[in-house]
């Protein structure tokens, strides 16, 4: 049994093909931002409260019109059948049992309708070159009962993920982007010196997406709209003015612009920019219940958790991992003297002054 979420990564590495491990673990460029995400969390300090008489903290939260057991959602992550035969269905079912939302990726390896059938879900949308496909995906998500649409806006092109390029990474024949009409794609065709997955996204993603496109989407989307991939407070404010119901402060786990600011360092200015006008979620670098507490104390409404759950998926331990994460959140709240999330947000937050290792 794992003692922390970090324990799942070496276990997964032992069972996964090296190229699949690199696909999940890797960032873009020299992976500076991957390291910055962790270093930034390590530098955050909290000042706990004592003698509160607290015995059992309540970490539940309400977001996008629904109450959940933990201030955590499963981040959108592509091609989960690379890690487990049931792929997204297995992780989504575990999320449902844990009482947290599951975010379905546009590039899921199981159709979105099947995933939404096993778990309360949000749908993550990449902006595609064919607007008819965008419209169809939104309609399918609404019809499937997804509670929100999360548009990822930080991938005009895929960042140069050098591990995938060196591995000439391509999808195996039994894994495909099942939500797209043409499931036999460039992503299956290994090309010397290239990532086939990157070639596929280049062919179907629209690089010139703009605020005008999101305004068009907002006018046609009948469910809450969340914008993922915001780091600059000016963009956050514009998202609110456009009618977004929430924003996700995210650098895509260090997989897009290498050298981008750590997400948790960008969080405070974004929260200040939007005020109480919309919820602010934090994505990238969350690896423990303590990280969840630090993000909430820094202003986040909740967090998205990604890679650690994929490592647990690879070793068929997602229920265990989510239960462990829940215990860590409750333990951290108890040690900090916080009865609920409102108390967490009143904690004093500081920064360590000595060098912090990533």
């Amino acid at each position: 049994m794992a003692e922390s979420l970090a324990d799942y990564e070496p276990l997964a590495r032992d069972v996964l093909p090296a190229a699949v491990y690199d696909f999940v673990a890797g960032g873009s460029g020299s992976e500076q931002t991957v390291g910055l995400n962790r270093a930034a969390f390590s530098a955050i300090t909290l000042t706990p409260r004592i003698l509160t008489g607290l015995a059992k903290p309540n970490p539940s939260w309400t977001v996008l019109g629904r109450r959940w057991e933990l201030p955590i959602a499963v981040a959108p992550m592509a091609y989960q059948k690379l890690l487990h035969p049931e792929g997204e269905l297995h992780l989504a079912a575990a999320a449902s049992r844990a009482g947290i939302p599951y975010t379905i990726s546009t590039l899921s390896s199981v159709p979105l309708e099947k995933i939404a059938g096993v778990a309360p879900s949000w749908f993550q949308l990449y902006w595609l070159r064919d607007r008819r496909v965008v419209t169809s995906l939104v309609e399918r998500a609404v019809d499937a009962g997804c509670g929100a649409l999360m548009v990822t806006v930080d991938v005009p092109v895929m960042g140069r993920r050098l591990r995938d390029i060196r591995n000439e990474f391509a999808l195996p024949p039994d894994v495909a982007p099942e939500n797209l009409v043409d499931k036999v794609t460039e992503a299956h065709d290994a090309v010397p010196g290239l990532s086939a997955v990157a070639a596929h996204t280049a062919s179907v993603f629209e690089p010139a997406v703009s605020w005008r496109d999101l305004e068009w989407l907002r006018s046609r989307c009948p469910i809450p709209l969340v914008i993922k991939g915001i780091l600059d407070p000016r963009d956050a404010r514009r998202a609110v003015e456009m009618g977004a119901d929430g924003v996700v402060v995210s650098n895509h786990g260090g997989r897009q612009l290498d050298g981008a600011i750590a997400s948790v360092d960008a969080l405070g200015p974004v929260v200040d920019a939007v005020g109480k006008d919309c919820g602010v979620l934090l994505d990238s670098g969350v690896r423990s219940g303590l990280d969840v507490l630090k993000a909430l104390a820094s202003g986040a409404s909740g967090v998205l958790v990604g890679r650690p759950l994929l490592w647990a998926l690879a070793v068929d331990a997602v229920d265990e991992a989510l239960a462990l994460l829940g215990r860590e959140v409750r333990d951290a709240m108890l040690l900090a003297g916080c009865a609920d999330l409102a108390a967490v947000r009143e904690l004093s937050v500081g920064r360590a002054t000595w060098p912090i290792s990533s």
Side-chain angles (χ1 to χ4, degrees), residues 297-350:
S298 300
S301 306
V303 305
L304 306 184
V305 178
R307 284 185 182 95
L309 299 180
L310 291 185
W311 303 135
L313 180 65
V315 294
D316 202 12
V318 284
D319 283 290
E320 176 186 278
L322 288 170
L324 174 58
L325 185 56
R327 288 196 301 273
E328 288 183 344
V329 170
R330 292 180 177 90
D331 285 351
M333 290 177 67
L334 189 59
L335 290 168
C338 297
D340 53 25
L341 301 191
V344 173
R345 296 187 180 99
E346 294 177 357
L347 289 173
S348 295
V349 180

Side-chain angles (χ1 to χ4, degrees), residues 231-250:
L231 294 170
D232 191 300
R234 293 169 294 183
D235 291 331
R237 189 66 215 167
R238 185 158 184 181
V240 170
E241 293 168 351
M242 185 212 69
D245 300 286
V247 298
V248 183
V249 177
S250 172

Side-chain angles (χ1 to χ4, degrees), residues 11 16 34-35 83 106 118 126 130 164 196 228 252 260 268 271 283 292 304 306-307 319 327 345 356:
L11 296 175
L16 290 173
V34 175
L83 297 110
T106 291
V118 302
Y126 282 119
D130 190 336
D164 293 347
K228 178 178 181 286
H252 216 99
V271 172
D283 169 75
V292 175
L304 306 184
R307 284 185 182 95
D319 283 290
R327 288 196 301 273
R345 296 187 180 99
I356 297 296

Side-chain angles (χ1 to χ4, degrees), residues 20-46:
V20 173
Y21 171 82
D22 280 347
F23 175 69
V24 176
S28 63
S30 60
E31 301 184 356
Q32 295 177 40
T33 299
V34 175
L36 287 174
N37 282 330
R38 291 304 310 140
F41 267 112
S42 296
I44 294 173
T45 61
L46 302 174

Side-chain angles (χ1 to χ4, degrees), residues 203-226:
S203 71
V204 299
F205 285 20
E206 172 54 66
V209 61
S210 70
W211 288 107
R212 183 175 298 178
D213 295 308
L214 293 191
E215 290 166 359
W216 171 85
L217 179 64
R218 174 69 286 180
S219 70
R220 288 162 174 78
C221 180
I223 58 178
L225 181 65
V226 178

